[in-house]
Amino acid sequence: MKPSMAVPTLDQLRSGGKRSLAEGLTLAETRAGDSAVVSLLDAACAAPKGDVIGITGPPGVGKSTLTNALIARWRAAGLTVGVIAVDPSSRYTRGALLGDRTRIRTNPEDDGIFVRSMAARDRLGGLSAETVAAMVLMRAVYDRVIVESVGIGQSEADIGFVADCVILCVQPGSGDSLQYMKAGITELPDIFVVTKGDTGKPAMRARADVEGALGLNAPSGRKPAVLVVSSTAAEGFDGLDEAVNDMLTATASQRDHRRSVQEDAWVNDAIRERFGRDGLARMKRGNEGPSRKGPFTRIAQVTQALRPE
Ligand SMILES: Nc1nc2c(ncn2[C@@H]2O[C@H](COP(=O)(O)OP(=O)(O)OP(=O)(O)O)[C@@H](O)[C@H]2O)c(=O)[nH]1
Ligand SMILES: [Mg+2]
């Protein structure tokens, strides 16, 4: 990238196709603190176009295969789709294997689909500030944004900080997700998908187990859907598509609130990462009150204020 690369306006980002979005993502990664970049991110954040679907679950459960299937369906329905594949291995490989690992295939000629792989943060599946920024830019441009992230235990909840709808993939015959549910859940996924439905009995058992655990543990309110899909047999996708649409429709009135909670979490997270718990406490003490400035501006301002001279 040229150091002089101009920061596009939101309109330019939207009308400039893949190339413009790629430049926007690069700027968000390399010049995150620049005031023009901060303004672009907040403008994008304030003008979301699409819905964000988080797909999480253990390694190898079938997240990318599911993502491929959803991309094909949504493109066929005329929706534009952005995908962020968060790769937990890249901190070991320095990104060298990103392309191989995501296993997401798309048509390079199609301007309505954009896929970006990104490194996970320190812990498995943890989302980095770059991932949040990329999601915000893509959400302003595409009708649907998928964030695929490996999740085990705690990191499963991370996806809730960027997604409007969280799909947790369950591996037949593993018991992983049940363990996690038994451990006590604060944030339930919106949809459970048992993958590899073509395995037959183990998949059916996994569904019954999840339903049983939900019956015992779920707080009152909206019950998550529990579905079985098979990517190899191309089964269950009508139901999944419907469940996603139903969830998004049913929660539309809470969308703004959910997103504003997410924004607060990004600010807290960024300040904690840079200045530790102490920094967080200082931010809260010196807080600008109920500032409704965009989250990226808030992060920049607090960073400025806390930075030692
Ligand atoms: N039998 C069967 N195998 C599947 C199905 N979906 C995915 N797989 C296989 O499961 C393996 C992992 O699939 P991926 O989609 O790459 O899984 P993932 O969760 O994205 O994996 P990571 O990103 O590495 O964590 C592949 O070998 C797939 O072919 C399915 O519906 N049935
Ligand atoms: Mg994958």
Side-chain angles (χ1 to χ4, degrees):
M1 185 189 63
K2 296 188 212 84
S4 57
M5 184 196 278
V7 178
T9 63
L10 184 54
D11 283 344
Q12 286 166 339
L13 189 81
R14 285 182 167 147
S15 59
K18 286 184 180 180
R19 190 190 166 139
S20 165
L21 183 63
E23 285 179 2
L25 295 176
T26 303
L27 285 166
E29 284 178 20
T30 56
R31 285 166 46 190
D34 271 24
S35 60
V37 175
V38 168
S39 299
L40 171 66
L41 288 170
D42 274 337
C45 196
K49 177 178 186 197
D51 299 304
V52 183
I53 316 300
I55 300 184
T56 189
V61 67
K63 300 179 293 296
S64 296
T65 313
L66 201 69
T67 298
N68 275 319
L70 289 173
I71 293 170
R73 287 187 77 93
W74 292 343
R75 286 302 294 130
L79 296 171
T80 56
V81 186
V83 179
I84 301 172
V86 181
D87 189 325
S89 66
S90 53
R91 68 194 162 112
Y92 304 116
T93 62
R94 298 190 186 279
L97 297 175
L98 282 177
D100 298 328
R101 233 189 107 83
T102 59
R103 300 183 202 105
I104 294 170
R105 298 171 305 275
T106 58
N107 173 5
E109 306 282 300
D110 180 358
D111 236 344
I113 169 75
F114 186 100
V115 179
R116 172 62 78 101
S117 297
M118 301 192 80
R121 204 158 77 179
D122 43 358
R123 61 181 182 278
L124 191 64
L127 302 183
S128 66
E130 287 79 20
T131 303
V132 170
M135 179 284 282
V136 164
L137 293 179
M138 285 195 191
R139 187 179 66 184
V141 175
Y142 295 112
D143 298 314
R144 289 275 164 92
V145 177
I146 298 175
V147 181
E148 177 195 330
S149 169
V150 170
I152 299 164
Q154 169 59 38
S155 55
E156 261 149 8
D158 270 22
I159 199 117
F161 289 118
V162 296
D164 301 311
C165 172
V166 173
I167 299 174
L168 175 62
C169 296
V170 177
Q171 170 84 30
S174 71
D176 288 352
S177 298
L178 283 179
Q179 287 308 323
Y180 147 72
M181 290 172 73
K182 280 181 196 147
I185 345 154
T186 46
E187 294 294 328
L188 270 184
D190 300 295
I191 299 172
F192 286 85
V193 169
V194 176
T195 55
K196 309 181 189 182
D198 49 284
T199 58
K201 265 196 184 148
M204 296 308 136
R205 196 173 314 122
R207 175 172 62 187
D209 285 349
V210 172
E211 278 171 345
L214 279 175
L216 296 175
N217 291 344
S220 57
R222 200 183 147 74
K223 272 246 154 87
V226 184
L227 307 164
V228 179
V229 305
S230 166
S231 301
T232 45
E235 277 169 13
F237 286 96
D238 288 342
L240 175 56
D241 206 12
E242 200 179 303
V244 170
N245 288 329
D246 285 354
M247 187 275 165
L248 290 173
T249 309
T251 55
S253 64
Q254 298 138 44
R255 186 90 71 253
D256 287 351
H257 175 69
R258 181 165 169 152
R259 286 176 176 173
S260 104
V261 171
Q262 291 174 342
E263 290 168 16
D264 289 346
W266 305 341
V267 176
N268 285 349
D269 213 38
I271 299 306
R272 195 190 304 108
E273 181 162 301
R274 273 169 223 179
F275 302 102
R277 281 182 190 285
D278 176 52
L280 202 57
R282 277 159 64 208
M283 173 182 90
K284 297 220 159 113
R285 272 202 305 276
N287 210 352
E288 331 85 79
S291 160
R292 280 295 103 198
K293 293 203 176 78
F296 297 93
T297 303
R298 281 151 65 200
I299 291 168
Q301 285 180 344
V302 177
T303 300
Q304 187 75 27
L306 293 185
R307 187 168 281 152
E309 291 309 315

